[in-house]
Amino acid sequence: MTTDAVRLPGRLIAPEPGWTTRADVVVVGSGIAGLTAALRLRKKVGKVLLVTKDVLNAGSTQWAQGGIAAALGPGDSPAEHERDTLVAGAGVCDAEAVRVLVNEGPKAVRYLLKRGTNFDLDAAGDLSLTREGGHHRDRIAHAGGDATGAEIQRALMQSVADAPQIEVVEHALAVDLLLGADGGVSGLTLHVMGEGQRDGVGAVHCRAVVLASGGLGQVFSQTTNPAVSTGDGMAVALRAGARLRDLEFVQFHPTVMYLGPDSHGQQPLISEAVRGEGAFLVDDEGNRFMQGVHELADLAPRDVVAKAIMKRMLETGRPHMWLDARHLGADASGASHDGDRGAREASVTRFWARRFPTILSTARRHGIDPVTDLIPVAPACHYASGGVATDLHGRTGIPGLYATGEVACSGVHGANRLASNSLLEGLVFSRRIAKVLPGELRPWTEPVADQRVPGLVSGAVRRDLQATMSGKVGVLRNAPGLTEAAAVLDKLAGVTADEVGQDAWEATNLVTISSALTAAALLREETRGSHWREDFPERDDTRWAGHFDVQMADGLTSVAFSPAAPTDGDD
């Protein structure tokens, strides 16, 4: 099954490169996936160039609150972690990819410890492990209470700073791949802002590119993703001929702090770990509406919780639900719920300050005190389970192009990512890329003349695009809304830019990825995992147990369905 979507730029309009440089491998992105890839490759190839769109710590990794999942605790096993992952993935995980993740996960986390990551420890000096939605065991390692990503980022950045084989270029936007006569990688064009002699558009000639550029959260009006998450890596790969897989499976985190109907951009995340510590969801009447919805109630997989919140919002006409965490830590200190109020609040405050200091500070900054107040929450875009299709070593269909982390679709997440598997995926599969890439390095090749049709969409379309995607391609979808969204995106793709620059490049990438996502969502006529169709409310394994792959040729995208190998997972 195939369908044609809108005509899009085959490459971005950009000035001719004003400078050139060379590196054996270019790693695009500086989160856990990119930093790990660069560190693991640095002694195996001649030179690694690590480029990042902003500063090194501006990506999604530093915002990861909950932690990193691995079977590290007593009584746990990779097999149990595998089962939980397959169940969350709703029948379309790649079972072998999941097996790789859970079996190599513990060793990968120990690698972080060797790199100086200071995970939280219990009284016995062992890793302090907690639980999140969809997990049947305590297997989430965390740092700084709720600052896991920031601590991992710090440790890996320090290791990169100590590695002379890695050259870092900040404020560098990946524009397009340079391709050789065989269609493989021969380089990459970048736009660099004010890095010495490298200013403006330049060309890096290389033998391999590792995309680790993160997700697509800025496609939507409200997201937990930082401003840099505009789908650049996915769009670069698509324009070069790579397949994008499972784009319709966008995970909306169920508990994002609601800031009002006019809020845009990155929103404060309330980690699932808060519910793992005993918080629960309630409606305006105080009803715990997750009871009876799933065996794990408030700790059900994220798609289940997000759907339950949305259903309750639709039923009540309310713009958000509430998270009640006012009791956390009260019993641990001996203060009873009915006892002295001051003592109880003091004990809860101590718990929050120790376990969730970042969330506590953020909530209070927005006028909510979790110690005494209910927290208003609503689903918002959080994670792209799909991305550039890869094999078990990060290879794409383009020789010399690899992908890892959120930009990639390794097959691990299926239709719905299990909580805290994302950091682990970036870590495990970056290590696997580093095992094979040095032996697969292409010879130095000159790029051929680029015959792809250039184009550029105006940066002014961003707000209209985000409003359309949030309203029609968000948590709840249907055929009329998706059809309308596709028509709007078609029009926006025709709004050409007056000026060449980052706003227009990002807008073009957003339109490109939004169009591909919408086309796949329209074709998947079922509800599965994080893809919720109100006009097709049931999961349909007879027709749709598989993947939608998007490719581009001559500015036209096509979407094709391929059946998935059966797994033991069940929604």
Side-chain angles (χ1 to χ4, degrees):
M1 177 204 320
T2 62
T3 181
D4 284 334
V6 300
R7 185 176 292 277
L8 296 158
R11 61 182 172 90
L12 299 181
I13 293 175
E16 288 297 313
W19 52 268
T20 60
T21 191
R22 291 166 71 91
D24 288 278
V25 180
V26 178
V27 177
V28 182
S30 60
I32 187 172
L35 293 172
T36 299
L39 286 167
R40 301 291 287 186
L41 286 166
R42 75 190 192 283
K43 294 182 179 179
K44 300 178 180 180
V45 300
K47 178 182 177 182
V48 176
L49 185 67
L50 176 65
V51 301
T52 185
K53 189 173 175 181
D54 200 322
V55 294
L56 273 182
N57 66 347
S60 293
T61 292
Q62 71 156 339
W63 299 100
Q65 296 174 346
I68 186 167
L72 294 161
D76 199 2
S77 69
E80 290 186 73
H81 189 185
E82 179 182 351
R83 282 195 294 273
D84 286 345
T85 300
L86 291 174
V87 168
V92 291
C93 293
D94 181 314
E96 186 56 33
V98 174
R99 202 162 294 122
V100 163
L101 179 84
V102 300
N103 282 289
E104 297 184 12
K107 182 178 180 180
V109 172
R110 287 190 280 271
Y111 168 79
L112 291 179
L113 289 166
K114 292 178 181 178
R115 285 282 160 201
T117 303
N118 296 312
F119 286 108
D120 295 336
L121 306 177
D122 60 22
D126 299 321
L127 283 176
S128 176
L129 302 174
T130 189
R131 192 175 305 198
E132 292 186 355
H135 293 272
H136 285 78
R137 293 278 189 181
D138 292 347
R139 64 168 67 97
I140 315 300
H142 48 85
D146 60 355
T148 309
E151 171 57 19
I152 292 172
Q153 186 87 18
R154 180 205 62 77
L156 293 179
M157 283 172 53
Q158 183 59 56
S159 293
V160 166
D162 294 338
Q165 308 93 334
I166 302 173
E167 180 183 356
V168 175
V169 180
E170 296 182 317
H171 305 292
L173 170 71
V175 179
D176 270 310
L177 288 173
L178 298 171
L179 302 175
D182 65 349
V185 168
S186 67
L188 179 74
T189 53
L190 298 173
H191 179 261
V192 181
M193 292 173 284
E195 288 288 325
Q197 293 183 355
R198 293 180 191 159
D199 194 13
V201 173
V204 183
H205 296 283
C206 63
R207 303 167 69 189
V209 169
V210 179
L211 293 176
S213 51
L216 48 72
Q218 293 297 323
V219 158
F220 297 92
S221 297
Q222 293 87 30
T223 177
T224 62
N225 292 189
V228 294
S229 298
T230 51
D232 304 327
M234 295 182 196
V236 164
L238 183 66
R239 288 193 294 266
R243 286 181 300 129
L244 302 186
R245 169 166 284 188
D246 291 345
L247 285 185
E248 69 272 26
F249 296 128
V250 178
Q251 186 176 81
F252 288 79
H253 198 289
T255 53
V256 176
M257 184 179 291
Y258 179 75
L259 300 181
D262 298 324
S263 62
H264 282 83
Q266 188 175 13
Q267 312 286 298
L269 174 67
I270 307 298
S271 170
E272 200 149 13
V274 177
R275 280 176 283 136
E277 296 287 355
F280 51 82
L281 291 156
V282 296
D283 61 17
D284 276 12
E285 304 299 322
N287 299 309
R288 293 187 60 177
F289 56 87
M290 286 303 302
Q291 300 293 316
V293 172
H294 188 277
E295 62 166 333
L296 295 176
D298 294 273
L299 281 177
R302 287 177 177 174
D303 64 312
V304 176
V305 181
K307 289 171 186 174
I309 291 175
M310 283 299 299
K311 285 179 180 177
R312 200 66 175 157
M313 287 164 56
L314 292 170
E315 290 167 357
T316 61
R318 301 294 297 165
H320 63 80
M321 290 290 105
W322 303 94
L323 185 67
D324 190 348
R326 297 171 295 179
H327 57 288
L328 299 189
D331 294 332
S333 69
S336 71
H337 293 288
D338 300 321
D340 179 72
R341 180 176 178 179
R344 178 181 175 277
E345 290 185 4
S347 68
V348 176
T349 299
R350 285 194 296 271
F351 174 85
W352 271 93
R354 173 182 60 81
R355 183 65 181 86
F356 301 114
T358 307
I359 299 174
L360 178 64
S361 174
T362 300
R364 285 176 169 172
R365 192 165 63 248
H366 288 283
I368 300 294
D369 189 344
V371 175
T372 56
D373 301 331
L374 296 172
I375 305 170
V377 292
C381 171
H382 183 55
Y383 190 86
S385 293
V388 183
T390 69
D391 68 7
L392 297 180
H393 287 90
R395 304 181 187 96
T396 69
I398 298 176
L401 180 66
Y402 302 77
T404 176
E406 191 173 359
V407 71
C409 181
S410 67
V412 159
H413 304 307
N416 182 53
R417 175 179 66 96
L418 181 65
S420 288
N421 269 355
S422 53
L423 290 177
L424 190 69
E425 182 199 26
L427 182 61
V428 166
F429 286 91
S430 291
R431 287 163 60 89
R432 289 179 71 82
I433 287 173
K435 288 180 181 179
V436 300
L437 188 155
E440 299 172 352
L441 271 177
R442 291 161 51 76
W444 292 97
T445 57
E446 288 298 314
V448 297
D450 200 330
Q451 300 301 315
R452 295 174 292 176
V453 178
L456 203 59
V457 176
S458 171
V461 309
R462 183 182 291 215
R463 278 295 180 92
D464 287 344
L465 178 146
Q466 292 172 328
T468 298
M469 293 298 290
S470 293
K472 306 298 181 183
V473 199
V475 179
L476 185 59
R477 301 165 177 173
N478 56 49
L482 291 167
T483 302
E484 181 181 341
V488 171
L489 292 168
D490 198 353
K491 291 180 180 177
L492 296 180
V495 181
T496 57
D498 294 327
E499 295 185 5
V500 175
Q502 184 164 332
D503 286 349
W505 290 325
E506 288 184 339
T508 307
N509 290 338
L510 289 169
V511 170
T512 298
I513 298 305
S514 296
S515 299
L517 193 166
T518 302
L522 184 57
L523 287 173
R524 185 173 287 280
E525 295 178 335
E526 65 162 352
T527 290
R528 181 186 296 269
S530 55
H531 174 68
W532 183 14
R533 288 285 297 265
E534 65 176 340
D535 46 351
F536 295 96
E538 303 300 324
R539 173 172 149 180
D540 185 355
D541 285 334
T542 63
R543 297 180 65 198
W544 304 122
H547 310 283
F548 283 103
D549 291 335
V550 182
Q551 287 190 277
M552 178 184 286
D554 298 324
L556 290 175
T557 56
S558 62
V559 188
F561 181 78
S562 61
T567 72
D568 295 329
D570 189 46
D571 195 5

